[in-house]
Amino acid sequence: MILISGRGSNMASLIAAKLPATICAVISNDPAAKGLATAAEHGITTAVVGHRQFKQRADFDAALAQAIDAHQPDIVVLAGFMRVLTEGFVSRYRGRLVNIHPSLLPSFTGLHTHRQALAAGVRVHGCTVHFVTPQLDHGPVIIQAAVPVLPGDDEDSLAARVLAEEHRIYPQAIRWLCEDRITVTADGIVRIAGARDAAGALLSPPPDA
Ligand code: GRF
């Protein structure tokens, strides 16, 4: 089950990855989400639970949960799903609700992460796949990718560099989940059975040769 709000490029990367799972449906909170057409083109069931119909966040979340549960998914994947979820909703799917966030968490939570990174002057930025917990953009980290921030960057160029890595790490994270290789310690640290150790370092800017 994939939840989207817009363009759906992360969703498309998950479809393209041919994961050992069936994408039972794609649900959007916005009927105008471009990703709905992409999903339909791939023969995937789509649905809309429009958040504007609901005055209370909890009522929207209840309707969304009902739409999700109709498909009995093992994993619920937030892929550019731009709604803050209530604690009740998050608890319902605890351990099987994952999100991708365009920053190296815990830095730059919330919106406009690339703007935040440029304003902070960091030289390394990136993206994170994590389990969702009630605290926004927190929760056990599954995989991260780091990219350099370059002197000429604006929000768009930085977002594009990060997005290319999102499209690599999200399918990998979901594959590990499908393969049942992920455990989370009591302290909230993710362990991945059989994952290789990362090597090397990204120095940004690189030192003189
Ligand atoms: C991605 O950068 C994602 O990390 C963020 O919103 C963007 C959604 O892009 N939460 P897309 O809809 O997957 O193309």
Side-chain angles (χ1 to χ4, degrees):
M1 165 70 62
I2 303 178
L3 306 189
I4 63 168
S5 295
R7 170 181 61 182
S9 71
N10 276 290
M11 175 204 72
S13 78
L14 294 168
I15 296 170
K18 309 229 176 299
L19 297 166
T22 305
I23 302 173
C24 54
V26 169
I27 300 178
S28 174
N29 62 299
D30 181 354
K34 292 213 168 69
L36 287 169
T38 312
E41 279 162 23
H42 285 86
I44 299 168
T45 302
T46 62
V48 173
V49 182
H51 67 272
R52 290 189 185 86
Q53 298 164 30
F54 299 91
K55 281 207 187 89
Q56 304 290 331
R57 201 177 279 281
D59 293 339
F60 166 70
D61 282 10
L64 182 61
Q66 202 175 16
I68 292 171
D69 292 350
H71 296 276
Q72 298 190 298
D74 294 319
I75 305 169
V76 180
V77 177
L78 307 181
F81 186 70
M82 305 303 282
R83 302 299 302 167
V84 174
L85 296 162
T86 56
E87 188 163 350
F89 182 95
V90 171
S91 307
R92 185 185 189 92
Y93 301 104
R94 204 181 177 92
R96 54 200 190 98
L97 180 61
V98 288
N99 182 44
I100 189 155
H101 182 77
S103 79
L104 291 172
L105 290 174
S107 292
F108 312 135
T109 58
L111 296 173
H112 308 303
T113 55
H114 310 304
R115 193 184 304 170
Q116 291 186 57
L118 289 169
V122 293
R123 298 307 191 118
V124 173
H125 184 41
C127 46
T128 303
V129 179
H130 64 100
F131 286 106
V132 178
T133 55
Q135 197 182 351
L136 183 70
D137 298 330
H138 281 71
V141 171
I142 299 172
I143 183 171
Q144 295 182 301
V147 301
V149 180
L150 302 178
D153 271 336
D154 57 18
E155 271 183 75
D156 288 346
S157 63
L158 188 52
R161 195 172 307 123
V162 171
L163 190 65
E165 301 311 315
E166 294 183 40
H167 296 164
R168 296 173 68 193
I169 66 172
Y170 218 1
Q172 175 62 84
I174 304 304
R175 188 177 293 278
W176 282 328
L177 267 174
C178 293
E179 292 173 350
D180 229 0
R181 289 167 59 185
I182 300 188
T183 49
V184 185
T185 68
D187 299 327
I189 306 299
V190 169
R191 305 281 181 226
I192 302 157
R196 295 183 297 150
D197 290 335
L202 171 61
L203 280 66
S204 172
D208 293 340

